[in-house]
Amino acid sequence: MEKRRFGAPASVADWGVAAGVAALALGDGWSGAHPGAGPGPLGYALLAAGGLALAARRRVPVVVLVVTGLCAAGQLAAGADVLSVAYLVAVYAAVRAGRRVLAAVASAALLVALQLTALVFRDGPLAEVSAEARGTLEIAWLIAAFAAGEAVRQAERRAEEAERTREETARRRADEERLHIARELHDSLTHQISVIKVQSEVAVHVARRRGEQVPEALLAIQEAGREASRELRATLEALRDDDAAPPRGLADVPELVERAGRAGLEATLTVGGRRQDVPAAVGRTAYRIVQESLTNVVRHAAATTASVRIDYRPGALALRIDDDGRATPEAAPVPGVGLLGMRERVTALGGVLRAEPRGGGGFTVRAELPVERVS
């Protein structure tokens, strides 16, 4: 339920305002210009109805504007020529909700309707009749209600914009900090863990070739290195990926190629080798490489065609993305953040990445990602 500043439900506050305006209108009508006869039962009913209608001004401000306007005209016809506070509050609510033009048109129409109502239902000189109509809806108060509603609307919009800006800034800083942590982990741990893993595997391999018994400690180091490498990869992927985005993999690559085709690029996808399941980290990295490569082609390469090839090899997944853009060996593009990010992902998995201009023109991105077999 919506809360107001002091914790009270908005509906309770709305009904309180509506009851207060209705009581004010009834009191004004009781002590108005005709204390002897009074506005009559119909006039009092319209005064109360106009005030109580304000309880719905947040949900249906336009309907409340129309209802209070009709009540203002009706109460004048019934003999209650008092200031229509309910309509002024309705104008404020409508303008605050962004219905400025409608509120201005409705107010102009009501001013004309009040003049006509006074001429039809009141006797006396024209000046007095017009004065009664103006008294029912003072133009100055109407303008004040319009201005107040617009001022509050602008203030609320600025507050919402400021809040959205703060949230975006906080999210951007969190993303930057997450990437910074990922780079620090990559720079400080990946190389050392990779060295431990490679050295232990080489030692185990040499011992087995010599027919020697592999020490249990060496096997434990080998297994610990593999496990640490897997954990580090998963941690780096979690730090780099956006938590709000669903995980992507090889199954989503055709969508990337199709999207590039909709952007005006003649893109093709070729899959070679025997399809096999790959670790989730490898699938995500392959997706990111294809995504970044095609994005660069569409935005910067001025290319007309691009080809994506995925090869399933024993123990590895190979990727190749080529385009016929304007890149040449003499004018190689400066590596950007996207290329650096691809290289970090591939290196974290123990793979190899090459990104360079082709001899005949265009650019090529080639990556080989190791796929560990589960024994």
Side-chain angles (χ1 to χ4, degrees), residues 1-4 7-16 55 57-58:
M1 180 181 295
E2 184 182 355
K3 300 288 186 179
R4 292 181 65 85
S11 59
V12 175
D14 289 343
W15 276 107
R57 69 186 188 277
R58 294 179 188 270

Tab-separated table of all heavy atoms in Angstrom, residues 1-4 7-16 55 57-58:
chain	number	residue	atom	x	y	z
A	1	MET	N	0.843	-1.189	0.000
A	1	MET	CA	0.000	0.000	0.000
A	1	MET	C	0.876	1.235	0.000
A	1	MET	O	1.873	1.295	0.695
A	1	MET	CB	-0.937	-0.022	1.212
A	1	MET	CG	-1.869	1.202	1.304
A	1	MET	SD	-2.939	1.142	2.753
A	1	MET	CE	-3.935	-0.278	2.395
A	2	GLU	N	0.442	2.254	-0.745
A	2	GLU	CA	1.247	3.476	-0.836
A	2	GLU	C	1.257	4.191	0.496
A	2	GLU	O	0.226	4.311	1.171
A	2	GLU	CB	0.648	4.372	-1.919
A	2	GLU	CG	1.454	5.630	-2.161
A	2	GLU	CD	0.810	6.514	-3.203
A	2	GLU	OE1	-0.198	6.101	-3.789
A	2	GLU	OE2	1.334	7.628	-3.408
A	3	LYS	N	2.423	4.700	0.881
A	3	LYS	CA	2.583	5.419	2.148
A	3	LYS	C	2.878	6.881	1.887
A	3	LYS	O	3.510	7.249	0.912
A	3	LYS	CB	3.743	4.806	2.960
A	3	LYS	CG	3.518	3.325	3.307
A	3	LYS	CD	2.471	3.154	4.356
A	3	LYS	CE	2.372	1.685	4.792
A	3	LYS	NZ	1.378	1.477	5.823
A	4	ARG	N	2.396	7.711	2.798
A	4	ARG	CA	2.747	9.115	2.733
A	4	ARG	C	3.966	9.361	3.601
A	4	ARG	O	4.547	8.441	4.161
A	4	ARG	CB	1.552	9.966	3.184
A	4	ARG	CG	0.380	9.887	2.193
A	4	ARG	CD	-0.777	10.744	2.656
A	4	ARG	NE	-0.425	12.154	2.655
A	4	ARG	CZ	-0.510	12.945	1.607
A	4	ARG	NH1	-0.894	12.478	0.447
A	4	ARG	NH2	-0.192	14.222	1.697
A	7	GLY	N	3.953	7.980	7.158
A	7	GLY	CA	3.641	6.574	7.347
A	7	GLY	C	2.174	6.234	7.226
A	7	GLY	O	1.813	5.067	7.296
A	8	ALA	N	1.265	7.213	7.110
A	8	ALA	CA	-0.156	6.929	6.991
A	8	ALA	C	-0.461	6.446	5.584
A	8	ALA	O	0.113	6.927	4.616
A	8	ALA	CB	-0.975	8.181	7.310
A	9	PRO	N	-1.381	5.470	5.438
A	9	PRO	CA	-1.748	5.021	4.092
A	9	PRO	C	-2.313	6.171	3.273
A	9	PRO	O	-3.033	7.039	3.790
A	9	PRO	CB	-2.795	3.942	4.366
A	9	PRO	CG	-2.542	3.498	5.772
A	9	PRO	CD	-2.022	4.710	6.490
A	10	ALA	N	-1.996	6.177	1.966
A	10	ALA	CA	-2.442	7.270	1.108
A	10	ALA	C	-3.950	7.335	1.024
A	10	ALA	O	-4.537	8.416	0.942
A	10	ALA	CB	-1.833	7.093	-0.284
A	11	SER	N	-4.635	6.174	1.035
A	11	SER	CA	-6.092	6.184	0.934
A	11	SER	C	-6.729	6.871	2.136
A	11	SER	O	-7.718	7.598	1.994
A	11	SER	CB	-6.602	4.742	0.814
A	11	SER	OG	-6.200	3.973	1.943
A	12	VAL	N	-6.166	6.651	3.317
A	12	VAL	CA	-6.708	7.315	4.520
A	12	VAL	C	-6.516	8.821	4.414
A	12	VAL	O	-7.428	9.606	4.733
A	12	VAL	CB	-6.012	6.762	5.782
A	12	VAL	CG1	-6.468	7.524	7.015
A	12	VAL	CG2	-6.294	5.268	5.931
A	13	ALA	N	-5.350	9.252	3.955
A	13	ALA	CA	-5.105	10.691	3.795
A	13	ALA	C	-6.030	11.296	2.745
A	13	ALA	O	-6.546	12.413	2.921
A	13	ALA	CB	-3.646	10.920	3.406
A	14	ASP	N	-6.265	10.554	1.651
A	14	ASP	CA	-7.159	11.072	0.603
A	14	ASP	C	-8.584	11.244	1.119
A	14	ASP	O	-9.245	12.245	0.822
A	14	ASP	CB	-7.152	10.121	-0.596
A	14	ASP	CG	-5.838	10.170	-1.353
A	14	ASP	OD1	-5.087	11.144	-1.153
A	14	ASP	OD2	-5.558	9.232	-2.119
A	15	TRP	N	-9.052	10.256	1.879
A	15	TRP	CA	-10.396	10.386	2.441
A	15	TRP	C	-10.463	11.519	3.468
A	15	TRP	O	-11.485	12.203	3.596
A	15	TRP	CB	-10.829	9.072	3.085
A	15	TRP	CG	-11.414	8.107	2.107
A	15	TRP	CD1	-10.845	6.975	1.628
A	15	TRP	CD2	-12.695	8.214	1.476
A	15	TRP	NE1	-11.676	6.358	0.728
A	15	TRP	CE2	-12.823	7.094	0.615
A	15	TRP	CE3	-13.738	9.130	1.550
A	15	TRP	CZ2	-13.963	6.867	-0.158
A	15	TRP	CZ3	-14.870	8.917	0.773
A	15	TRP	CH2	-14.996	7.815	-0.066
A	16	GLY	N	-9.369	11.736	4.190
A	16	GLY	CA	-9.357	12.852	5.131
A	16	GLY	C	-9.464	14.196	4.430
A	16	GLY	O	-10.220	15.085	4.853
A	55	ALA	N	-11.634	11.827	-2.948
A	55	ALA	CA	-10.962	10.647	-2.407
A	55	ALA	C	-10.338	9.795	-3.508
A	55	ALA	O	-9.397	9.038	-3.261
A	55	ALA	CB	-11.945	9.810	-1.588
A	57	ARG	N	-8.954	11.069	-6.341
A	57	ARG	CA	-8.209	11.937	-7.251
A	57	ARG	C	-6.864	11.354	-7.675
A	57	ARG	O	-6.358	11.687	-8.745
A	57	ARG	CB	-8.006	13.309	-6.618
A	57	ARG	CG	-7.055	13.324	-5.430
A	57	ARG	CD	-7.011	14.698	-4.772
A	57	ARG	NE	-5.975	14.785	-3.754
A	57	ARG	CZ	-6.116	14.370	-2.509
A	57	ARG	NH1	-7.260	13.798	-2.140
A	57	ARG	NH2	-5.131	14.493	-1.640
A	58	ARG	N	-6.262	10.492	-6.875
A	58	ARG	CA	-4.986	9.881	-7.270
A	58	ARG	C	-5.189	8.804	-8.326
A	58	ARG	O	-4.384	8.667	-9.238
A	58	ARG	CB	-4.289	9.257	-6.057
A	58	ARG	CG	-3.834	10.258	-5.010
A	58	ARG	CD	-3.179	9.502	-3.850
A	58	ARG	NE	-2.899	10.399	-2.746
A	58	ARG	CZ	-1.768	11.066	-2.597
A	58	ARG	NH1	-0.816	10.948	-3.502
A	58	ARG	NH2	-1.577	11.860	-1.553
